[in-house]
Amino acid sequence: QVQLVESGGGLVQSAVSLILSCTASGYISGINNWGWFRQASGKQREVVAFITSAGKAVIADSVKGRFTISRDNDKNTMYLQMNSLKPDETAVYYCAADLSTRYWGQGTQVTVSS
């Protein structure tokens, strides 16, 4: 199993950038896909971006061109660079790692003010 700890959330103004981090511990070598989801109040959780064990990044259409996902294997950390944030992207952002099952972090709140 793995443990995931997110950081970097907060309150930002619209159009500002923010970087989220997710640090993993445990059976890190077993991680296949590693990515970010978000869940706004009253809405379903949706995938934002994920990166495969081969390093391929897959970005949701809604954030393509503004968000970038990357991983630093030496630091066991994955990052989500979010640019030009919009108020409707206010949500709890969750880190998730797929092994034989999906593991979740505790989530980090991102609030974008207009």
Side-chain angles (χ1 to χ4, degrees), residues 1-6 22-31 34 73 75-78 95 97 99 103-105:
Q1 62 179 9
V2 295
Q3 295 77 43
L4 304 170
V5 178
E6 302 104 330
C22 174
T23 299
S25 60
Y27 185 42
I28 298 168
S29 61
I31 295 176
W34 195 4
N73 291 329
K75 296 182 178 179
N76 299 326
T77 300
M78 179 189 57
C95 173
L99 286 79
Y103 294 86
W104 296 94

Side-chain angles (χ1 to χ4, degrees), residues 25-88:
S25 60
Y27 185 42
I28 298 168
S29 61
I31 295 176
N32 297 311
N33 297 333
W34 195 4
W36 293 94
F37 290 72
R38 66 187 179 188
Q39 187 167 20
S41 180
K43 295 188 177 180
Q44 289 188 331
R45 192 171 297 189
E46 62 176 0
V47 62
V48 177
F50 64 89
I51 190 165
T52 70
S53 57
K56 179 182 178 181
V58 180
I59 310 293
D61 288 343
S62 60
V63 302
K64 196 169 292 183
R66 297 186 297 117
F67 288 16
T68 304
I69 189 170
S70 62
R71 62 190 290 175
D72 185 332
N73 291 329
D74 290 338
K75 296 182 178 179
N76 299 326
T77 300
M78 179 189 57
Y79 304 96
L80 184 68
Q81 169 78 49
M82 306 185 291
N83 298 327
S84 303
L85 281 162
K86 305 174 183 179
D88 62 3

